[in-house]
């Protein structure tokens, strides 16, 4: 989510959760996400974008940095292009999970729905070329995040 706490996107999600009491909310990233690609370029030393784009990229950079670190160096059997696709996919997954974390930390409405009304937050990645949706699952630290209250 290229949104921020207190922004329109968070407010829309909070409204939907409060109004409709869903049992599942899915945060979907997609493999061709230009924001993730631009954030990866930024982490790799590309020139600074405009201030407004930088604000959006700042939300994604932590996931990109972790993806680059976790992907490690390319193996003998892995091409540079293959590694870039792997890092992009990993950054997309991590960003969806990071978004779930931000929703739990900054939205008392969503946090309460998860704690008391059975709402589950799941991450998924869409491949827009095939339409295939791969579910990543819930944030692995959801219990720990909720315990921070």
């Amino acid at each position: 989510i290229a949104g921020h706490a207190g922004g329109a996107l968070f407010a829309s999600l909070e409204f939907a959760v409060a109004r409709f009491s869903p049992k599942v909310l899915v945060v979907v990233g997609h493999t061709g996400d230009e924001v993730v690609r631009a954030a990866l370029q930024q982490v790799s030393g590309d020139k600074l974008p405009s201030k407004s784009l930088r604000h959006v990229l700042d939300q994604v950079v932590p996931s990109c940095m972790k993806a680059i670190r976790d992907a490690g160096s390319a193996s003998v059997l892995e091409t540079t292009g293959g590694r870039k696709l792997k890092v992009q996919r990993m950054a997309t997954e991590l960003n969806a999970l990071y978004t779930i974390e931000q929703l739990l930390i900054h939205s008392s409405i969503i946090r309460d729905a998860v704690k008391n009304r059975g709402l589950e937050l799941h991450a998924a990645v869409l491949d827009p070329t095939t339409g295939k949706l791969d579910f990543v699952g819930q944030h692995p630290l959801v219990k720990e995040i909720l315990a921070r209250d």
Side-chain angles (χ1 to χ4, degrees), residues 70-131:
D70 290 356
S73 58
S75 72
V76 175
L77 300 175
E78 188 175 56
T79 64
T80 302
R83 182 176 188 284
K84 284 183 181 180
L85 289 173
K86 178 180 171 182
V87 169
Q88 170 108 11
R89 167 66 188 224
M90 190 181 296
T92 302
E93 287 180 14
L94 290 169
N95 191 55
L97 291 168
Y98 179 73
T99 299
I100 289 171
E101 185 176 335
Q102 295 305 298
L103 288 168
L104 290 170
I105 290 170
H106 297 292
S107 172
S108 60
I109 292 170
I110 292 174
R111 187 173 50 254
D112 178 67
V114 171
K115 284 174 99 170
N116 302 314
R117 297 198 319 260
L119 174 64
E120 292 183 4
L121 304 178
H122 289 265
V125 177
L126 173 68
D127 182 337
T129 60
T130 65

Side-chain angles (χ1 to χ4, degrees), residues 12-13 27 31 41 43 55 65-66 71 76 80 89 93 97 110 116 140:
S12 295
L13 290 173
V27 175
T31 55
Q41 290 171 342
V43 169
H55 175 73
M65 291 171 58
K66 184 167 178 20
V76 175
T80 302
R89 167 66 188 224
E93 287 180 14
L97 291 168
I110 292 174
N116 302 314

Side-chain angles (χ1 to χ4, degrees), residues 14-98:
E14 289 176 333
F15 173 80
V17 167
R19 171 71 172 89
F20 301 109
S21 299
K23 293 299 174 194
V24 177
L25 184 105
V26 181
V27 175
V28 179
H30 66 90
T31 55
D33 191 329
E34 290 297 324
V35 173
V36 171
R37 189 173 292 123
L40 284 167
Q41 290 171 342
Q42 185 66 50
V43 169
S44 298
D46 210 12
K47 66 180 179 154
L48 286 175
S50 68
K51 186 176 181 179
S52 58
L53 181 55
R54 208 172 321 143
H55 175 73
V56 173
L57 295 181
D58 286 348
Q59 307 296 314
V60 182
V61 163
S63 300
C64 293
M65 291 171 58
K66 184 167 178 20
I68 290 168
R69 186 193 70 217
D70 290 356
S73 58
S75 72
V76 175
L77 300 175
E78 188 175 56
T79 64
T80 302
R83 182 176 188 284
K84 284 183 181 180
L85 289 173
K86 178 180 171 182
V87 169
Q88 170 108 11
R89 167 66 188 224
M90 190 181 296
T92 302
E93 287 180 14
L94 290 169
N95 191 55
L97 291 168
Y98 179 73

